[in-house]
Amino acid sequence: MNIDDVAVFAVAAGAGSLSEAARRLGLTPMIATRRLASLERSLGVRLMHRTTRSLSLTPEGESFLPYAQALVETEQQARALLRGEEEGAAGLLRVSAPVAFSLKVIAPLIPSLLETNPDLRLSLDMSDSMPDLVSSGTDLAIRIARLKDSSLIARKLADNPRSLVASPTYLEKHGTPRSAGELAHHNCLPLYGVTHWTFLTAGVESSLRLQSRFSSTSIEGCHAACLAGAGIALLSDWNVADDLSSGRLMRVTLEDAEPERLAIWAVYPTSRLVPPKVRVFIDALVSALTAIKRSGT
């Protein structure tokens, strides 16, 4: 049984098609098809039902899949152990991260990361929604949230303090709220579908219903509207550091409440293997977040 043939099967099962598996593995569709056929011949069973438009596992394929995934991960781990750390990371790293975080924090890391690791390639999916890591072939997702229970593996990278902010123009026109009760009468700029913001008062959580005439599917939209004077936004400190220092935005501090505390998480599809390419990326990101914290932003 050839491990390259097993890899085609494992990736195709997650991707939902042989053509996508071939793309992820850097093969032609014809070679991927031949490798799957070779695996089926060696095992003496049919693993997949496939047509030009669809692919599904046979009962035998469903039974074999976890073993195939374990074989591929073990082979990758063995290669990682044999590859010296001084050689750096290699291969294609697929990362998913929120749009604003990608622009402000991740993008500045890319030049030095690629220069230090000449065999590394990086694909950044800037999305505010959480992808299916297995089916999309994503190696790592960065999320800023309260994580729900799941089968995914998560590592906390840093705290993510947030602040209420508004433009000087808005505050001059509408006044500065000093309490959560006053905030309820201001124009707030939430994400689409968000009707409440969560605050902490003496460690106790409470939800404040928002008065909102504007919302956005992206935090970047809320940020832009806030800069234009449309209202008060709840944004991560790393996202508004430059705006606060330049005076484009001002921090709104409530006397009786503070924003809910979130964290920045690295989310992996499996705990069996953390490849060097993922470790290198995480190390660079943690260093950047530490520098941001030290700068007081």
Side-chain angles (χ1 to χ4, degrees), residues 224-274:
C226 187
L227 285 168
I232 299 174
L234 178 57
L235 301 173
S236 297
D237 286 0
W238 51 259
N239 199 6
V240 295
D242 293 341
D243 301 315
L244 292 171
S245 62
S246 68
R248 291 189 297 268
L249 292 178
M250 298 180 67
R251 190 177 270 113
V252 176
T253 302
L254 304 180
E255 296 174 353
D256 60 349
E258 61 177 315
E260 173 192 22
R261 297 164 187 163
L262 301 179
I264 302 171
W265 297 88
V267 184
Y268 314 93
T270 177
S271 62
R272 290 183 179 178
L273 170 68
V274 179

Side-chain angles (χ1 to χ4, degrees), residues 178-297:
R178 298 300 180 190
S179 67
E182 292 180 30
L183 182 66
H185 302 291
H186 279 263
N187 296 328
C188 296
L189 308 172
L191 286 168
Y192 177 77
V194 174
T195 59
H196 294 74
W197 280 340
T198 301
F199 291 90
L200 295 174
T201 302
V204 179
E205 288 189 1
S206 61
S207 294
L208 176 70
R209 186 170 184 84
L210 304 176
Q211 297 294 326
S212 174
R213 298 174 59 196
F214 173 87
S215 64
S216 172
T217 56
S218 170
I219 202 70
E220 286 295 275
C222 301
H223 188 179
C226 187
L227 285 168
I232 299 174
L234 178 57
L235 301 173
S236 297
D237 286 0
W238 51 259
N239 199 6
V240 295
D242 293 341
D243 301 315
L244 292 171
S245 62
S246 68
R248 291 189 297 268
L249 292 178
M250 298 180 67
R251 190 177 270 113
V252 176
T253 302
L254 304 180
E255 296 174 353
D256 60 349
E258 61 177 315
E260 173 192 22
R261 297 164 187 163
L262 301 179
I264 302 171
W265 297 88
V267 184
Y268 314 93
T270 177
S271 62
R272 290 183 179 178
L273 170 68
V274 179
K277 60 184 180 181
V278 173
R279 292 200 303 270
V280 164
F281 180 85
I282 290 297
D283 289 346
L285 184 54
V286 169
S287 295
L289 293 172
T290 301
I292 290 173
K293 182 178 180 180
R294 287 174 178 169
S295 69
T297 59

